[in-house]
Structure formats: C-alpha cells, structure tokens
Amino acid sequence: EVQLVESGGGLVQPGRSLRLSCTASGFNFNDYAMYWVRQSPGQGLEWVSGISSNSGSAGYADTVRGRFTISRDNAKSSMYLEMNNLKTEDTALYYCVKDAVGAIGAFDLWGQGTMVTVSS
Amino acid sequence: IQLTQSPSLLSASVGDRVTITCRASQGPGNYLAWYQQKPGSAPKLLIYATSILQSGVPSRFRGSGSGTEFTLTISSLQPADFATYFCQQLKTYPGSFGQGTKLDIK
C-alpha cells in the first residue's frame, strides 16, 4: 500500500525539543523530494520544510528557520524533522507529504499527520 | 511568495459554477497547485502545474491562470465538492499556501 506514516508528536513545553519521523511505503522513496506541512487547529496550511531526493538541498519557512532541521534516510525510506526551541505557535498537526509524480512542487501523497502541542 | 485567495467564504448551490482566485505576490511560474480538504482529512491534490488535472479528479474541476493570477473553477457543483480549497506554490523554497476558501452550501 502506498502510504506515509508520521510519528513522534506529543505534548511538549515551550523551549523543549521534539523529533518527528515519517516512514514511507509502496513507492520508491529515493526518487522524490519530501516535505513537512503543518496545520494549526481550525486554521490553514503552512509549508514548513522540504528536502530533495538525495538530501542535496533543503529549505525552511521563515517561521522555523534556525530552529527546525529536516533530514532523510533513503535506506530506511524515512524522513525526519528535528524541532528545537519549540514555541506555542508551533502547535499544529504536522503532515509528511510527497512530491507528485511528474509534478515537482505539488503534493500527491499525504500522511494522516502527527499532532504537536507546545504548552506549559 | 505570498498567496492570497478570494473569496475566503463562498456559498453556492448544487449545480452552480464557482470560481476561486489565487493571487501571488510574485509569479510562481508553472508551480501552482490546488487542493481540496474536508474536515478531519488530509488535503487532496486536484490540479498541478496551474492546469493539469490530477489522476482521478473529475473533469468539472479546471485550473487556469498565468503571471500572478490563477483560478480554480468548478463547473457544476456536486454535494461532494463542499469543502475548503487551497492554492499552493513551490517555485523556490520556501513554499507557501493560500489562506483557504471555504465552499459551503447556500
């Protein structure tokens, strides 16, 4: 089955760290750029970070640059998001998403999301 | 690149033709996509590269535009189409989404 499964979310205090994981199955993970997109409760979508298929390039939203680090392990078909110095405004459902087939920069596969709650 | 959608809320009836607009602060080239999201579910890709219909998406959905103005048109609304729609670009990092347009039943 073609799917993305996120894990690692939870409740964390402001200033602490958390590491999210995304495991892919059913497609050749090595061939696609991957991304993290988040959605605060009842709000819109925010592009967070992206990484190329060979980890050669990565990008971040201004709101997380310097605090979050994206990485991937193609041998494990997995992607990660290391989140440091978390803020209350980072509270959101974090989706792992895949570049669309034949359409760089569009997202054709989404995970179910993992919830991150930053609160004291 | 900032994306601004209009309207934010759209009320329509089954069978209506509706159009949602997405304006970009800079041209996103051909890297403009549209998504549909229903409550409790992840977004679903409808259109990519401005006007290419994703496999399995009904032909009543159409994307168009150029430069900094893009549109999503639904030609004849069906009950399943009442949802929230987002535009998105990834010409270069960082990517961005529009704020969303909620389409509800009049």
Side-chain angles (χ1 to χ4, degrees):
Chain A
E1 181 183 1
V2 178
Q3 64 177 353
L4 299 168
V5 178
E6 304 95 336
S7 60
L11 174 63
V12 62
Q13 293 179 327
R16 304 298 291 262
S17 299
L18 208 58
R19 188 195 199 209
L20 305 184
S21 299
C22 169
T23 301
S25 58
F27 65 95
N28 193 348
F29 183 76
N30 300 15
D31 287 344
Y32 297 96
M34 297 291 295
Y35 309 89
W36 291 98
V37 173
R38 69 185 181 184
Q39 187 167 34
S40 301
Q43 301 300 311
L45 301 168
E46 182 184 11
W47 185 92
V48 174
S49 184
I51 187 167
S52 62
S53 59
N54 64 359
S55 301
S57 66
Y60 300 91
D62 292 345
T63 52
V64 307
R65 188 176 295 114
R67 299 187 297 121
F68 290 12
T69 303
I70 193 172
S71 62
R72 64 190 293 164
D73 183 340
N74 286 349
K76 295 182 178 180
S77 295
S78 294
M79 177 178 68
Y80 309 99
L81 187 68
E82 187 74 37
M83 305 186 294
N84 297 321
N85 189 20
L86 282 161
K87 304 178 180 182
T88 54
E89 52 264 40
D90 295 319
T91 294
L93 184 65
Y94 284 73
Y95 290 106
C96 168
V97 301
K98 164 190 166 291
D99 235 2
V101 175
I104 295 171
F107 312 140
D108 68 351
L109 182 64
W110 296 63
Q112 85 287 352
T114 187
M115 187 68 200
V116 172
T117 302
V118 184
S119 174
S120 55
Chain B
I1 297 175
Q2 295 184 346
L3 300 178
T4 303
Q5 287 181 233
S6 60
S8 295
L9 178 63
L10 181 57
S11 296
S13 302
V14 173
D16 284 354
R17 175 188 175 97
V18 298
T19 297
I20 299 169
T21 299
C22 178
R23 290 186 173 86
S25 59
Q26 304 172 41
N30 211 27
Y31 299 96
L32 196 287
W34 290 92
Y35 301 83
Q36 176 193 69
Q37 187 179 32
K38 296 183 178 179
S41 295
K44 171 188 172 184
L45 178 64
L46 299 175
I47 288 168
Y48 62 91
T50 301
S51 60
I52 301 176
L53 205 61
Q54 173 70 348
S55 176
V57 175
S59 59
R60 63 180 180 273
F61 291 91
R62 190 173 79 90
S64 64
S66 63
T68 60
E69 185 159 327
F70 301 85
T71 59
L72 172 69
T73 299
I74 310 173
S75 60
S76 177
L77 278 172
Q78 299 301 302
D81 300 338
F82 292 95
T84 300
Y85 293 84
F86 296 92
C87 58
Q88 172 257 329
Q89 70 79 29
L90 192 56
K91 180 182 181 183
T92 59
Y93 289 151
S96 55
F97 287 88
Q99 81 279 14
T101 295
K102 184 176 181 180
L103 175 57
D104 67 9
I105 300 174
K106 185 185 291 183

